[in-house]
């Protein structure tokens, strides 16, 4: 990872001039920055090093990779280093086209001296002669590295730039790689590996997913082994999958195991409902498993919802691999809320995907994206109860993200909705946990304001918190009083 060529351009005005024209890599444009504030989704640093005459910007990332962002919302890695990016750009630069009108026809002319300029820059920067095909292959390899670590976001809105190059492999391939390797170990019959995989909840889930998409008649015993151990995690999608894969074999001797699994706890009893009773024949067992398989699973990984793979990526510590598709899914909803429309309903929206996205981002530690999802979720709620509940969560996320003024305004909207709800859904809020949660958030935000040296705002919110506490019924207020006393003591410290 070198920037030798970039240093030479900065030191030599003649070379910098050649890079700017005709190769459109202008160091002077770095002072202007990009057309909008941007950041990497990963949070990594970016250094603006040059620009071009179309409003595009060249950045150097923490590992030395060069990222190019155009002015139309596209971005991609164009070299694993500044040197590689410059070599590719100079080598692949096409002739500048000059439009001239003659007899109503446009003719394109190559920039005079382009080849000489290329030769001079290559020699001065130490670049070897490479074929166009080799340079194009280098560019494509660089562009494929953009996701997941170098996805560019609009800093204010949080939406992602589009990929400049082709998409990489489908998400499931890197996520499922460990599961495929473990499935091969299990099939090899190493009993130590059997226990190691089965005892690890993440490896176990991945191995079951690998078996879902690579089905083998000889897997029945290892599937039984994984299924028995998956009961430790209670009702999971992989538990149901394991039961389905075992049931598809049609061995009625497995009914006792399947019923034992179903009776693990209340959740598994509900999740594995409809299972044939002991004594049923093989056809009934296969039919039950086949129906669940067609409804929930199948043998094509591309048919799985993206959440399957983002959850498994997160559980393996592949944070960026999980984050990027979630951001793009949220972007798609912002661009077209019709994606939330319920099947068969012309106007009704189902907002559950937004709340799920907010939870996913929060689990990834990405509060800005969690807030994007939660704010839209709150804005789309129809009943007063749902709006208040959603805004309560929004205020908590804003507080945790350090956006205290936003959280204050959000709680003010909560209080306004409690006072004038507009429907009957909130008539008992003082008696239930929702009222307790709202009061608790008021006190927590009051303490955060005091800790941020905002005493006036803290005192105003404390008064609102005490008023809400005063409205709660006894059962709802019990868990709040200790927090209220601690907050009042903190306010006395502030004076």
């Amino acid at each position: 990872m070198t920037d030798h060529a970039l240093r030479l351009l900065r030191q030599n005005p003649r070379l910098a001039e050649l890079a700017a024209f005709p190769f459109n890599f202008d160091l002077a444009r770095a002072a202007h920055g990009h057309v909008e504030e941007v950041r990497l989704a990963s949070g990594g640093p970016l250094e603006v090093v040059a620009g071009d005459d179309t409003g595009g910007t060249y950045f150097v990332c923490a590992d030395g990779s060069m990222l190019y962002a155009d002015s139309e919302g596209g971005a991609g890695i164009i070299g694993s280093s500044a040197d590689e990016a410059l070599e590719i750009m100079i080598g692949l630069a096409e002739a500048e086209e000059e439009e001239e009108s003659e007899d109503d026809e446009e003719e394109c002319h190559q920039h005079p001296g382009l080849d000489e300029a290329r030769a001079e820059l290559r020699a001065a920067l130490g670049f070897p002669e490479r074929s166009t095909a080799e340079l194009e292959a280098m560019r494509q390899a660089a562009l494929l590295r953009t996701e997941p670590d170098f996805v560019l976001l609009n800093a204010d809105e949080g939406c992602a730039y589009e990929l400049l190059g082709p998409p990489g492999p489908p998400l499931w391939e890197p996520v499922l790689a460990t599961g495929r390797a473990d499935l091969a170990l299990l099939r090899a019959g190493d009993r130590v590996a059997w226990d190691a995989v089965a005892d690890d909840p993440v490896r176990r889930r991945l191995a079951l997913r690998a078996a879902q998409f690579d089905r083998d008649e000889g897997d029945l015993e290892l599937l039984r082994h994984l299924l028995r151990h998956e009961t430790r995690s209670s009702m999971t999608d992989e538990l149901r999958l394991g039961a389905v894969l075992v049931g598809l074999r049609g061995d009625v001797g497995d009914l006792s195991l399947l019923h034992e699994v179903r009776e693990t706890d209340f959740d598994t009893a509900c999740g594995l409902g409809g299972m044939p009773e002991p004594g049923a024949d093989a056809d009934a067992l296969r039919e039950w498993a086949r129906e669940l398989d067609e409804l929930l699973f199948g043998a094509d990984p591309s048919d799985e919802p993206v959440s399957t793979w983002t959850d498994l990526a997160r559980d393996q510590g592949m944070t960026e691999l999980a984050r990027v598709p979630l951001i793009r899914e949220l972007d798609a909803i912002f661009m077209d809320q019709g994606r939330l429309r319920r099947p068969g309903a012309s106007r009704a929206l189902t907002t559950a995907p937004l709340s799920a996205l907010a939870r996913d981002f929060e689990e990834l530690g990405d509060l800005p994206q969690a807030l994007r999802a939660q704010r839209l979720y709150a804005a789309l709620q129809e009943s007063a109860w749902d709006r208040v509940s959603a805004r309560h969560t929004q205020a908590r996320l804003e507080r945790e993200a350090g956006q205290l003024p936003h959280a204050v305004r959000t709680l003010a909207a909560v209080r306004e909705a409690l006072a004038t709800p507009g429907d009957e859904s909130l008539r008992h809020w003082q008696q239930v946990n929702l009222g307790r949660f709202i009061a608790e958030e008021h006190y927590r935000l009051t303490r955060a304001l005091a800790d941020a040296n905002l005493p006036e705002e803290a005192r105003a919110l404390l008064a609102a918190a005490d008023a809400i506490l005063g409205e709660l019924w006894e059962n709802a207020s019990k868990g709040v009083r200790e927090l209220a006393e601690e907050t009042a003591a903190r306010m006395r410290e502030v004076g």
Side-chain angles (χ1 to χ4, degrees):
M1 304 300 181
T2 66
D3 62 355
H4 172 72
L6 188 59
R7 290 199 306 273
L8 288 177
L9 293 183
R10 286 169 169 167
Q11 294 165 5
N12 189 317
R14 165 62 181 168
L15 298 181
E17 182 181 350
L18 280 177
F21 185 80
F23 300 107
N24 215 1
F25 183 85
D26 192 345
L27 296 177
R29 292 180 182 270
H32 303 295
H34 194 46
V35 293
E36 62 185 6
E37 291 295 320
V38 292
R39 63 181 178 87
L40 288 178
S42 64
L46 287 172
E47 178 192 0
V48 177
V49 294
D52 64 23
D53 60 11
T54 67
T57 307
Y58 298 93
F59 303 87
V60 171
C61 305
D63 71 339
S65 297
M66 182 169 283
L67 177 76
Y68 174 73
D70 64 28
S71 59
E72 303 299 322
I77 292 294
I78 59 170
S80 60
S81 66
D83 282 12
E84 182 179 276
L86 283 163
E87 181 182 357
I88 292 169
M89 283 189 290
I90 293 167
L92 293 180
E94 297 177 356
E96 180 179 326
E97 295 179 348
E98 297 178 353
E99 295 185 358
E100 297 181 3
S101 176
E102 180 177 343
D103 296 331
D104 297 325
E105 293 182 2
E106 293 184 348
E107 296 181 358
C108 296
H109 298 277
Q110 179 171 310
H111 167 69
L114 177 66
D115 289 337
E116 292 82 357
R118 178 183 287 116
E120 182 178 349
L121 261 183
R122 271 179 168 165
L125 301 179
F127 294 155
E129 289 281 346
R130 298 186 195 270
S131 68
T132 298
E134 186 177 1
L135 290 168
E136 185 60 42
M138 290 167 62
R139 179 165 67 178
Q140 291 301 311
L143 288 168
L144 285 171
R145 293 182 55 243
T146 305
E147 288 192 347
D149 294 318
F150 303 102
V151 173
L152 195 66
L153 305 181
N154 175 292
D156 294 328
E157 298 175 2
C159 54
Y161 276 50
E162 296 296 324
L163 285 174
L164 285 180
L171 177 61
W172 61 265
E173 284 191 7
V175 171
L176 203 56
T178 298
R180 287 170 154 179
D182 278 341
L183 181 60
L185 283 175
L186 295 173
R187 286 172 173 170
D190 183 341
R191 302 307 295 191
V192 174
W194 276 45
D195 290 338
V197 173
D199 288 340
D200 185 311
V202 176
R203 293 179 69 182
R204 185 171 67 233
R205 291 174 63 203
L206 287 164
L208 282 166
R209 287 293 179 179
Q212 175 186 351
F213 306 115
D214 180 10
R215 304 186 181 194
D216 189 292
E217 288 299 322
D219 286 348
L220 183 55
E221 188 56 40
L222 70 85
L223 289 171
R224 291 167 176 156
H225 185 67
L226 294 173
L227 177 60
R228 289 188 183 96
H229 284 73
E230 186 60 16
T231 58
R232 300 175 183 176
S233 299
S234 187
M235 188 63 238
T236 64
D237 288 339
E238 285 72 29
L239 181 87
R240 188 184 282 113
L241 170 61
V244 165
L245 293 176
V246 168
L248 284 171
R249 302 307 196 277
D251 186 334
V252 294
D254 286 321
L255 279 170
S256 60
L257 168 62
L258 293 172
H259 277 270
E260 179 184 341
V261 169
R262 189 183 70 176
E263 298 307 314
T264 299
D265 54 32
F266 177 77
D267 289 338
T268 54
C270 296
L272 293 175
M275 183 185 295
E277 295 300 319
D281 61 21
D283 288 341
L285 177 57
R286 288 194 192 94
E287 181 62 23
W288 168 80
R290 189 178 300 113
E291 288 181 0
L292 278 180
D293 189 29
E294 292 176 356
L295 179 65
L296 300 174
F297 301 111
D300 187 345
S302 62
D303 290 338
E304 283 291 320
V306 68
S307 59
T308 296
W309 306 120
T310 55
D311 287 351
L312 289 169
R314 183 194 63 220
D315 292 345
Q316 294 179 80
M318 300 174 173
T319 302
E320 297 311 314
L321 206 60
R323 188 200 314 269
V324 170
L326 294 174
I327 291 174
R328 296 206 182 277
E329 184 176 352
L330 181 56
D331 288 349
I333 293 173
F334 266 90
M335 293 294 292
D336 179 15
Q337 292 179 18
R339 295 168 65 95
L340 298 174
R341 190 165 289 120
R342 294 189 179 100
S346 60
R347 300 185 62 176
L349 301 180
T350 175
T351 55
L354 285 169
S355 61
L357 283 168
R359 288 193 299 272
D360 287 340
F361 283 123
E362 187 175 4
E363 289 177 1
L364 289 172
D366 193 334
L367 292 182
Q369 294 292 346
L371 274 167
R372 280 184 73 207
Q374 187 65 30
R375 284 168 176 156
L376 181 57
Y377 174 74
L380 294 176
Q381 298 312 302
E382 296 182 354
S383 74
W385 177 284
D386 290 339
R387 285 194 299 274
V388 164
S389 178
R391 285 174 178 157
H392 159 264
T393 301
Q394 177 182 327
R396 175 182 62 79
L397 291 172
E398 288 167 338
R399 170 177 56 81
E400 292 175 354
Q403 300 180 14
L404 302 187
H406 288 86
V408 170
R409 289 194 292 272
T410 301
L411 286 185
V414 167
R415 296 194 300 276
E416 181 179 354
L418 293 177
T420 55
D423 61 39
E424 295 297 309
S425 61
L426 283 171
R427 67 177 182 271
H428 299 307
W429 70 267
Q430 303 93 334
Q431 306 171 33
V432 295
N433 280 336
L434 179 61
R436 176 168 67 88
F437 296 152
I438 292 170
E440 288 174 343
E441 186 54 38
H442 275 73
Y443 286 117
R444 291 192 177 100
L445 182 55
T446 297
R447 295 189 64 170
L449 291 166
D451 293 342
N453 197 28
L454 297 169
E456 292 185 10
E457 292 86 344
R459 280 192 287 271
L461 194 63
L462 179 61
D466 289 341
I468 291 172
L469 180 58
E471 292 193 58
L472 299 183
W473 283 32
E474 182 63 26
N475 285 341
S477 67
K478 282 181 180 178
V480 187
R481 297 197 180 281
E482 183 177 352
L483 178 59
E485 292 170 1
E486 293 173 353
T487 305
R490 178 71 182 94
M491 288 304 299
R492 286 193 292 273
E493 293 175 2
V494 173

